Amino acid sequence: MAKRKRPVTEELAARPSKRSDILKAARELFLEHGFASTSVDAVVAASGVSKPTVYSHFSSKEALLEAVVRAEAERLDRPIEFRPTGDPVRDLERVAHALTAMALAPETLAWDRMMAGEARRKPDLGRVFFDCGPRRVVAVLAEFFRQLAAGGGIEVPDPEGAAEFFFGMAVGLPLLRAQLTGGPDPRDASPARCREVAARFLRAYAPNRPNHQ
């Protein structure tokens, strides 16, 4: 008697690692070559599965991209926290360095380049990536500034606005330079620049100033 062929759903359940293999291969190829320059055949070769197996998990290359981005959002959705130590100057220097190093990491730059190219076609995915990345970091910064203010180190009537301001000073131009010139300038994450970012922020949000616009 011929052996009954298992339905596709049973086949997928029996080989759960295949989906992970495909996602891992696609993630690496998308980040290295970009979405448009990565073919399904390349994903097949890198993942070690057949093309029918890829399409049994993902209906198209676009669906594969969506799965990769959403998997990355889940991976990034882990606690991050900046804790005040009682020394606002050193705390702000440390946070400025952490933000710059995070933004200029090769993998972060690769993600930003890829998503900048694809967000116009898939704005929903762009929002997912923005929410799990920059928006979440700014929210953590705002909470950090509330804690600094509670200790008297700064005065921040609008912590979210202050967080956007600090993020822009620390990350804005260095990130743009890295994206447009092929890589970061070592000076962008230097201790001297981080001290300057901290000093300028403190001048703007020093306690007991008569006005905080």
Side-chain angles (χ1 to χ4, degrees), residues 4-87:
R4 181 178 69 88
K5 185 176 181 180
R6 289 185 295 179
V8 171
T9 53
E10 292 182 19
E11 182 72 16
L12 297 184
R15 298 185 299 168
S17 67
K18 294 299 182 184
R19 188 176 194 276
S20 297
D21 292 342
I22 296 165
L23 285 174
K24 180 181 178 182
R27 181 185 187 276
E28 292 175 356
L29 291 168
F30 289 161
L31 292 182
E32 182 176 358
H33 303 293
F35 174 75
S37 298
T38 299
S39 66
V40 173
D41 286 338
V43 175
V44 167
S47 62
V49 304
S50 67
K51 185 177 285 189
T53 299
V54 171
Y55 282 116
S56 69
H57 286 276
F58 307 100
S59 60
S60 63
K61 192 172 78 163
E62 286 73 15
L64 180 53
L65 172 64
E66 180 171 353
V68 167
V69 173
R70 294 191 183 280
E72 186 69 9
E74 290 180 10
R75 188 183 73 82
L76 292 176
D77 190 19
R78 59 182 186 272
I80 57 174
E81 188 173 11
F82 302 123
R83 290 183 177 274
T85 65
D87 184 341

Side-chain angles (χ1 to χ4, degrees), residues 77-177:
D77 190 19
R78 59 182 186 272
I80 57 174
E81 188 173 11
F82 302 123
R83 290 183 177 274
T85 65
D87 184 341
V89 176
R90 294 295 299 275
D91 286 343
L92 288 167
E93 290 178 15
R94 175 173 52 87
V95 170
H97 184 270
L99 289 175
T100 307
M102 185 188 311
L104 300 183
E107 187 170 290
T108 304
L109 291 173
W111 269 107
D112 288 346
R113 290 188 185 107
M114 182 179 73
M115 293 309 301
E118 297 305 316
R120 178 179 293 183
R121 294 189 314 108
K122 290 186 167 289
D124 288 348
L125 282 187
R127 282 189 287 271
V128 167
F129 188 74
F130 179 78
D131 287 346
C132 76
R135 178 171 287 173
R136 189 169 65 100
V137 172
V138 167
V140 171
L141 265 180
E143 178 56 31
F144 170 67
F145 292 151
R146 289 188 186 95
Q147 295 175 27
L148 276 183
I154 58 175
E155 184 177 332
V156 280
D158 178 10
E160 286 76 17
E164 292 184 8
F165 174 58
F166 189 87
F167 186 90
M169 281 203 305
V171 174
L173 186 61
L175 179 58
L176 186 61
R177 178 165 30 238

